[in-house]
Amino acid sequence: MLSELDLSAIYLTLKLASLTTLTLLIISPPLAWWLARSKLFFRPFIESLVALPLVLPPTVLGFYLLLSFSPDSYFGAFWIQLTGSGLAFSFAGLLIASVIYSLPFVVQPLQSAFVNLDKNYLEVASTLGFSPIKTFYKVVFPMTLPSFIIAGALGFAHTIGEFGVVLMIGGNIPGETQVLSITLFDHVETLQYEQAHLLSISLLIFSMSLLILIYGVLQKRQKRLNDA
Amino acid sequence: MPNNMLKFTLCKAGLFNFAAEINLAGVCGVFGDSGAGKTSLVRALIGLDEQFIGSVNFNNNVWQDDKHFVKTEHRQIGMVFQEPRLFPHLDALGNLTLAHNKRSLYTIETLAKLLDFENLLDKKTIALSGGQKQRIAIARAILTAPQLLIMDEPLSSLDAHSRALLLPFIKRLAKQIPILYITHSMQELFYLANNMLLINDGKIEAVGDPQKLFIDPRLSLVKHAHSGLLLNVTCLSWDETHAMLQGKVDGQAIYLAMDKPVEQEILQIKVESKDVIIATQQFPHSSLQNCFTSEVEQIEQISASHILLTLNLGKQKLLAKITAKSLQQLQLKVGQSVYSYIKAVSIIGEIT
């Protein structure tokens, strides 16, 4: 059976992934929209920054995050002043790191959906007198809903699989920063293969079910659109 | 008090240079060859093309000048694009509800009845035909309670049923909302418009009554008109024994051969300029059925041998192509009253 430590790691992982996904679904749409539409000269620079976590080893990202979380850095000091506690080896620090680490997985599907969105519909929306906010909620969002689902799912799944960054900045504090992937690594290191198996298969089944559910919903929607 | 005055000067480097001042009441046609810049002009007027510099003023509201640029969504223009552009994620009713403004003169139900789409409201937009979609797109634009409605060739690719429904509807609607109607169809223009902007080569060439502009020899329209003009006939009755329709053109009787009675009130006919015979006296013993009393308004030499006469029937005009020799023999002068006999007409019945 799964130990209490395992369960707490699973709970923590799900909590981290959910909060990360939620945060990403709030900050990514405007960012993706800007990246899809902006003609400013520094857009490629911002675009590259967003995509960096895709190419950098997670440990590099984790290293720089660890430095910026330190009370000696501006950001770290500011955070301590604001909240009274440090970011390194804390859940809040983990959340910030996950948001940055999974950002491209949410921004990129949205950005490509926004690029491909037929501009004609946006013109219609403005001739119907819609404000940009109304256009987003009533036209853009429903028309690109599948991309939002995929973006959310990728962000969630990617956060669950996070290892290197967590290792660098979160450490291994049970109930606070010890996530699933770290617990699994511990089991293997201490030769508890049975526990490792159990945890691995649970994670595998969970991820597979989630993906099947999402792709199933998308297929149904596609079919409905084709039939109508 | 809205005066519906539209004033604009709009330039786009090297391509377009539009300037006009026009009182929009009823339907104002925007007419010109394809590529002349009709669509570019309306996109600039709506505010969809920010590359145009200049000024736009409607109803004493500044839409654009050196310092201001009112965004499209704040201009209160209803727009019907050439393609219907219904939102694909909504059904017909969803598209209409989303656009509905409380101040709209019409409800969704009324428009559904008038434009014959009551049984289509719950349909997904992809299940609708082009004509059905366009009728719903027109309703959607009206529901936004616009102060000006702009239609960009809305009927260009529609079925006969939709055209027959929409043309009289647009004409009636224009009594409540001023309409700018882009078209390259002379039929639609003559049926709908009481005013027009003539676009040629990226410029506004002329503004005025289509009946007058089409016969102005200085304008680029003349090439459309030489072969003949269109007349609107008010239908009165149908004589079954002779299979003839009786109607009126500017109060003067006209008889048209028709196999069956027509349902519409106004029928459009085209009279070719070569099919008009001019006489200074009536000649009763002939097979000619239709004779109008008319006044010579203009005499234009179009070639060494031929003359084009513009004849005024009251409000509408007729063109007659006669030889220079006939002109001399009949000693025609501007202002003179003559009898115009019509040898043949083609009925452009599908339009209404």
Side-chain angles (χ1 to χ4, degrees):
Chain A
M1 257 327 279
L2 289 168
S3 70
E4 205 170 306
L5 210 63
D6 291 340
L7 288 174
S8 114
I10 291 174
Y11 168 73
L12 189 72
T13 307
L14 291 179
K15 183 172 137 190
L16 179 66
S18 309
L19 285 174
T20 303
T21 310
L22 189 71
T23 314
L24 283 171
L25 284 178
I26 293 168
I27 61 172
S28 300
L31 180 59
W33 186 261
W34 184 82
L35 288 174
R37 303 276 147 178
S38 171
K39 294 184 182 84
L40 293 175
F41 71 95
F42 57 87
R43 192 191 88 184
F45 177 73
I46 306 287
E47 219 167 354
S48 310
L49 269 186
V50 172
L52 263 187
L54 287 175
V55 292
L56 277 185
T59 41
V60 173
L61 191 69
F63 175 65
Y64 283 116
L65 282 171
L66 190 63
L67 290 185
S68 69
F69 286 175
S70 113
D72 300 335
S73 78
Y74 287 114
F75 179 67
F78 171 74
W79 187 270
I80 288 177
Q81 222 171 24
L82 200 74
T83 63
S85 55
L87 272 175
F89 310 113
S90 75
F91 183 76
L94 214 54
L95 183 60
I96 293 177
S98 303
V99 165
I100 294 171
Y101 182 52
S102 297
L103 187 63
F105 290 85
V106 180
V107 169
Q108 289 191 344
L110 293 182
Q111 188 184 340
S112 87
F114 293 159
V115 167
N116 292 323
L117 182 69
D118 194 340
K119 222 173 123 244
N120 285 347
Y121 294 114
L122 303 179
E123 288 185 359
V124 171
S126 60
T127 66
L128 294 177
F130 295 178
S131 66
I133 303 275
K134 187 172 180 187
T135 302
F136 183 80
Y137 282 108
K138 298 291 187 184
V139 180
V140 177
F141 178 66
M143 284 184 73
T144 54
L145 187 61
S147 298
F148 273 86
I149 294 175
I150 289 183
L154 285 177
F156 190 84
H158 190 243
T159 309
I160 284 186
E162 191 175 335
F163 181 77
V165 178
V166 185
L167 202 63
M168 294 295 281
I169 61 149
N172 201 352
I173 307 165
E176 174 74 21
T177 62
Q178 194 187 58
V179 296
L180 233 162
S181 54
I182 306 270
T183 313
L184 181 64
F185 184 70
D186 276 357
H187 287 323
V188 176
E189 257 202 330
T190 52
L191 301 176
Q192 291 174 294
Y193 276 27
E194 199 185 326
Q195 292 281 29
H197 264 307
L198 206 56
L199 216 47
S200 296
I201 198 82
S202 317
L203 192 56
L204 186 71
I205 292 171
F206 172 76
S207 305
M208 194 66 191
S209 317
L210 181 71
L211 291 175
I212 290 176
L213 182 76
I214 288 160
Y215 288 124
V217 168
L218 290 179
Q219 189 193 34
K220 236 189 201 151
R221 185 191 147 94
Q222 195 181 23
K223 192 161 176 282
R224 208 177 57 223
L225 287 178
N226 287 342
D227 290 348
Chain B
M1 193 57 201
N3 55 11
N4 295 334
M5 213 45 196
L6 176 69
K7 253 194 289 190
F8 58 86
T9 38
L10 288 163
C11 302
K12 192 165 168 179
L15 290 169
F16 301 110
N17 195 347
F18 299 120
E21 193 172 333
I22 187 166
N23 188 18
L24 296 179
V27 177
C28 174
V30 178
F31 189 85
D33 292 335
S34 32
K38 303 188 290 290
T39 299
S40 301
L41 170 66
V42 294
R43 290 182 65 83
L45 288 176
I46 305 174
L48 286 177
D49 190 343
E50 297 187 23
Q51 291 177 342
F52 272 91
I53 47 170
S55 66
V56 186
N57 201 299
F58 181 68
N59 256 344
N60 302 321
N61 294 320
V62 175
W63 278 348
Q64 183 180 345
D65 64 16
D66 299 342
K67 295 185 196 80
H68 307 87
F69 189 90
V70 177
K71 290 206 166 130
T72 308
E73 58 262 35
H74 296 128
R75 294 192 186 191
Q76 283 180 274
I77 304 177
M79 177 74 201
V80 178
F81 294 93
Q82 219 165 331
E83 339 75 65
R85 300 195 188 179
L86 296 180
F87 295 126
H89 60 285
L90 296 169
D91 58 14
L93 183 63
N95 269 280
L96 297 169
T97 318
L98 195 57
H100 194 186
N101 183 312
K102 289 191 294 293
R103 287 175 290 121
S104 168
L105 297 166
Y106 292 88
T107 60
I108 295 176
E109 295 75 43
T110 329
L111 286 170
K113 214 168 279 168
L114 286 170
L115 294 178
D116 190 25
F117 57 75
E118 283 166 297
N119 51 355
L120 303 175
L121 286 171
D122 58 346
K123 289 256 173 18
K124 275 269 169 198
T125 55
I126 26 182
L128 302 172
S129 76
Q132 294 170 334
K133 276 190 217 160
Q134 193 63 304
R135 279 182 268 146
I136 290 162
I138 289 171
R140 182 174 67 170
I142 295 168
L143 284 168
T144 61
Q147 52 173 340
L148 168 65
L149 190 61
I150 300 186
M151 306 177 111
D152 187 356
E153 305 198 20
L155 309 184
S156 59
S157 56
L158 297 196
D159 54 284
H161 172 66
S162 295
R163 289 171 65 87
L165 208 65
L166 284 170
L167 274 165
F169 173 80
I170 293 169
K171 197 167 175 153
R172 278 198 308 277
L173 181 69
K175 292 186 180 125
Q176 293 157 322
I177 308 170
I179 298 177
L180 260 187
Y181 189 95
I182 302 168
T183 183
H184 62 242
S185 151
M186 210 170 139
Q187 292 172 31
E188 287 176 16
L189 187 76
F190 272 72
Y191 179 78
L192 290 172
N194 49 356
N195 214 343
M196 74 181 269
L197 287 170
L198 172 63
I199 315 253
N200 187 30
D201 200 16
K203 288 182 195 65
I204 307 274
E205 194 183 355
V207 180
D209 182 350
Q211 296 273 353
K212 294 206 178 85
L213 296 194
F214 266 85
I215 51 170
D216 190 330
R218 291 161 304 178
L219 298 178
S220 62
L221 282 176
V222 131
K223 63 178 183 288
H224 293 274
H226 271 180
S227 70
L229 287 178
L230 302 181
L231 293 176
N232 288 334
V233 178
T234 314
C235 303
L236 295 176
S237 59
W238 184 67
D239 170 7
E240 201 178 343
T241 20
H242 302 107
M244 289 292 263
L245 176 92
Q246 197 201 340
K248 282 198 161 159
V249 175
D250 289 351
Q252 305 197 48
I254 185 169
Y255 299 91
L256 302 168
M258 289 285 239
D259 293 341
K260 50 180 194 292
V262 287
E263 283 162 22
Q264 58 265 44
E265 285 166 43
I266 294 175
L267 192 70
Q268 218 169 21
I269 58 171
K270 181 168 187 183
V271 182
E272 302 275 339
S273 50
K274 63 178 168 47
D275 293 332
V276 180
I277 295 163
I278 300 298
T280 47
Q281 286 174 10
Q282 275 189 297
F283 48 105
H285 307 290
S286 82
S287 65
L288 292 166
Q289 284 292 330
N290 290 313
C291 173
F292 296 127
T293 324
S294 56
E295 193 188 285
V296 179
E297 190 174 294
Q298 186 177 292
I299 302 173
E300 189 199 343
Q301 181 111 31
I302 51 172
S303 69
S305 56
H306 280 90
I307 304 289
L308 193 71
L309 297 177
T310 305
L311 303 156
N312 195 344
L313 302 177
K315 270 162 95 183
Q316 306 192 65
K317 325 241 177 210
L318 202 60
L319 294 179
K321 195 170 159 189
I322 59 170
T323 59
K325 194 159 176 252
S326 312
L327 180 77
Q328 201 187 14
Q329 278 175 354
L330 290 170
Q331 295 185 309
L332 296 175
K333 285 180 192 69
V334 172
Q336 186 178 349
S337 208
V338 292
Y339 297 100
S340 309
Y341 285 90
I342 314 286
K343 218 159 64 179
V345 303
S346 40
I347 290 156
I348 311 175
E350 313 85 69
I351 188 150
T352 52

